[in-house]
Amino acid sequence: MPATHLARRAIVRVSPQAAEEDATAFLQGLLTNDVTGAGPTYAALLSAQGKTMFDLIVWHDGADVLMDCEANVADDLVKRLSLYRLRRKLDIAVDPAIAVHWQLTGKTGQPDPRLPALGHRWLASAGPSNPPELAADEQWLAHRLSCGVAEGRAELGDILWLETNAAELNGVSFSKGCYIGQENTARMNWRQKVNRRLIVVPLNRSDEKRQVIAYPELGKAVDHLRIEAISPDWVPPWMDLTPQAN
């Protein structure tokens, strides 16, 4: 059986600790997307300026909300969310009992909410059936980059959320109401001021001054480029590079 465990992902769980608390409502006022549906839902927690801090996939488990995020930033996400909790009776913690899984083909799980071509992902109990040596992270990285999709702190950095292709990848709602960073994000959208994009490029064509990260073993890099500098050969089918008004 092929490996499916994404060992570099972790789950942050938000759990109500009182009957009057609502974990979904709490996150609805913080994250970029409408998380009131069944999910999974792609979203982000932004800075007040609309820059990316954490990108994640939201799942629901009864009254609890689960956030599928990078394992190496999970503790930071817990700390950041805890700042917004104030006196609310919510427990926010990494849940090591849940593992994230992915496969390109098959019927297990749900289609990735960003792009169907990314395959399916699901959550399952963590256990000895998924040791680190059977992790699928390298396969996931190679496939994700082949689809032209960036994710995680190393690739998204503190770039403005809409410049990470969030709108095209179903990572933002322009109708759900306020969230952190909403003002600048909405202004960029309505004024059509998304003048730069994150794009996966061949490593030998990468602009060192605009390079965010390189993957020499895959011959690829992620660059943050002005739209007019992007070669048509690099544009994946899902990306909309309609000229923006100045």
Side-chain angles (χ1 to χ4, degrees), residues 185-198:
T185 302
R187 184 186 301 115
M188 287 180 65
N189 179 63
W190 299 125
R191 294 184 179 179
Q192 295 188 311
K193 290 293 184 180
V194 186
N195 297 320
R196 294 178 174 84
R197 296 297 189 105
L198 274 185

Side-chain angles (χ1 to χ4, degrees), residues 137-146 155 215 217-218:
D137 296 271
E138 294 303 326
Q139 297 96 310
W140 162 245
L141 172 64
H143 179 68
R144 177 172 59 76
L145 293 177
S146 75
E155 295 175 15
Y215 295 98
E217 70 280 9
L218 298 174

Side-chain angles (χ1 to χ4, degrees), residues 123-194:
L123 308 180
S125 297
S129 61
N130 295 301
E133 63 268 20
L134 295 181
D137 296 271
E138 294 303 326
Q139 297 96 310
W140 162 245
L141 172 64
H143 179 68
R144 177 172 59 76
L145 293 177
S146 75
C147 291
V149 176
E151 76 172 15
R153 182 169 288 179
E155 295 175 15
L156 305 185
D158 62 351
I159 293 169
L160 291 163
W161 185 230
L162 293 188
E163 293 184 355
T164 71
N165 309 306
E168 290 77 12
L169 293 171
N170 305 309
V172 59
S173 169
F174 296 109
S175 61
K176 82 179 187 79
C178 294
Y179 55 87
I180 298 170
Q182 183 265 344
E183 183 176 357
N184 197 32
T185 302
R187 184 186 301 115
M188 287 180 65
N189 179 63
W190 299 125
R191 294 184 179 179
Q192 295 188 311
K193 290 293 184 180
V194 186

Side-chain angles (χ1 to χ4, degrees), residues 17-28:
Q17 299 299 297
E20 67 273 15
E21 287 293 356
D22 187 329
T24 299
F26 169 68
L27 292 170
Q28 181 75 349

Side-chain angles (χ1 to χ4, degrees), residues 6-12 53-55 67-79 94 100 137 144 151-157 213 215:
L6 296 181
R8 297 174 191 163
R9 304 292 292 184
I11 293 295
V12 170
M53 297 185 70
F54 304 92
D55 66 313
M67 286 169 285
D68 164 0
C69 66
E70 289 182 287
N72 61 357
V73 304
D75 289 335
D76 292 341
L77 177 58
V78 169
K79 292 177 183 177
V94 176
V100 180
D137 296 271
R144 177 172 59 76
E151 76 172 15
R153 182 169 288 179
E155 295 175 15
L156 305 185
I213 190 170
Y215 295 98

